[in-house]
Amino acid sequence: MSEPQSIKITANGRSFSPPAEVSLPDFVDSLSLNMDRVVVERNGQALTPEEARRIHLVDGDHLEIVRIVAGG
């Protein structure tokens, strides 16, 4: 059986259908966000920046993506 053309994921409460096996950095980039400026939780688990860069999303993933904002 062939791989699906797209997957269904949820990010910050919204549904998305990115290409199958899209990388997390590519998905974040598609949201016009910079991987160096976000913190990501995948399926309830906070990811280190190193882990986040190696992740490929799969059908059913749930993400919370929070932008890091500096202030003073």
Side-chain angles (χ1 to χ4, degrees):
M1 195 146 114
S2 65
E3 291 286 318
Q5 297 294 324
S6 65
I7 58 175
K8 293 184 192 277
I9 65 167
T10 303
N12 294 356
R14 293 179 50 206
S15 295
F16 293 88
S17 295
E21 291 294 317
V22 66
S23 71
L24 179 55
D26 286 345
F27 178 72
V28 168
D29 186 55
S30 78
L31 300 175
S32 299
L33 297 172
N34 183 329
M35 232 9 235
D36 294 329
R37 303 275 185 223
V38 298
V39 175
V40 181
E41 183 180 276
R42 179 184 185 214
N43 302 326
Q45 179 181 352
L47 301 173
T48 67
E50 295 80 24
E51 289 171 326
R53 285 183 177 80
R54 293 190 309 258
I55 295 290
H56 282 80
L57 301 177
V58 296
D59 195 53
D61 274 342
H62 289 270
L63 305 174
E64 291 296 326
I65 303 170
V66 180
R67 291 189 333 176
I68 301 170
V69 179

